[in-house]
Amino acid sequence: LGSIELDLQTMFLRQHKWWPRGTEINTEVFERVAEQNFRVNTNSYFMLEIDLYPPKDFIEEFPDEMCRDDKGNVNRDDANGINYSFASEVAARRMENVLKRVINFVENRPWGRRIAGYRINSGTTLEWLHWYRGGIVDFSKPCREGFERFCRKHYPEIKDFSIPSQMERSASDGDMLLWNAKDHLRVV
């Protein structure tokens, strides 16, 4: 790769600046970032890194689509403050539609030919890791419904789709590190 005569830089676009609310896109942010980068790196091509999270007002518009703990509280992390549920088709469609508009805008700018590719950054696996900061889990409506559909198809022996209690989730077989999956299938 060192012999390739190509100067490739990463151009960062943080979501809260270009996607402030609803489906609104602030294209001035793209223009400003492009101008700054192209002025400094006159012969470069760019990898456009786009953070893609629903904006802060998503929680007000779609409260049932948020990642929620077993008590119904919205889970929060350091990345964007609130977590949409990875199982939310509403969030996925919203992000997909906005991303298509962004790429269409970029590709049709005079400087768009200097964009070599895109790196899309969205979501966090933290909501799936129960042990992170005391238990970021996803018991949102979309996640529970998706879990039930998955289990009915692949694990018909599971009949109870209620949220396992904290005691069930932290149970162990004796002091064994690994559970017997058959005894804890619903929790697993």
Side-chain angles (χ1 to χ4, degrees):
L1 290 176
S3 64
I4 297 175
E5 294 182 18
L6 175 64
D7 184 4
L8 183 64
Q9 305 284 330
T10 301
M11 185 167 34
F12 298 97
L13 286 161
R14 298 296 177 227
Q15 172 269 324
H16 65 279
K17 293 183 178 180
W18 63 265
W19 188 7
R21 67 190 137 288
T23 59
E24 176 185 328
I25 297 173
N26 184 355
T27 57
E28 290 177 13
V29 172
F30 292 88
E31 297 286 6
R32 188 170 44 254
V33 169
E35 179 186 338
Q36 291 167 350
N37 281 276
F38 296 143
R39 187 179 334 121
V40 173
N41 305 288
T42 55
N43 297 316
S44 294
Y45 285 86
F46 291 87
M47 178 71 63
L48 189 57
E49 181 170 310
I50 301 175
D51 281 354
L52 187 65
Y53 299 93
K56 300 288 184 194
D57 67 348
F58 186 84
I59 190 172
E60 296 160 11
E61 190 174 356
F62 301 104
D64 289 342
E65 303 298 316
M66 305 308 296
C67 178
R68 294 186 178 271
D69 64 19
D70 57 342
K71 295 173 183 61
N73 300 314
V74 174
N75 281 315
R76 300 175 185 279
D77 67 24
D78 293 334
N80 64 340
I82 57 172
N83 294 323
Y84 63 91
S85 174
F86 282 172
S88 171
E89 292 180 22
V90 173
R93 279 193 309 274
R94 173 75 53 100
M95 289 185 294
E96 178 184 16
N97 291 335
V98 166
L99 183 60
K100 285 178 181 178
R101 289 175 45 216
V102 164
I103 291 174
N104 186 51
F105 172 79
V106 168
E107 297 288 325
N108 285 294
R109 301 307 301 150
W111 45 266
R113 65 182 187 5
R114 297 195 40 204
I115 303 298
Y118 300 89
R119 181 181 177 274
I120 312 303
N121 175 29
S122 180
T124 174
T125 57
L126 300 179
E127 67 183 25
W128 304 111
L129 301 177
H130 174 64
W131 49 265
Y132 180 80
R133 293 193 185 171
I136 293 181
V137 292
D138 190 1
F139 292 114
S140 65
K141 182 179 178 183
C143 196
R144 287 188 327 240
E145 289 173 351
F147 172 73
E148 185 171 341
R149 280 191 306 275
F150 176 84
C151 287
R152 287 190 189 283
K153 180 177 180 180
H154 298 286
Y155 298 96
E157 62 272 27
I158 296 177
K159 304 296 183 205
D160 180 5
F161 299 104
S162 62
I163 297 173
S165 68
Q166 180 63 43
M167 186 182 303
E168 288 175 281
R169 294 195 313 268
S170 60
S172 64
D173 289 335
D175 281 323
M176 301 298 294
L177 177 63
L178 300 176
W179 288 343
N180 178 339
K182 283 186 177 181
D183 293 342
H184 305 279
L185 188 58
R186 185 174 71 91
V187 175
V188 171

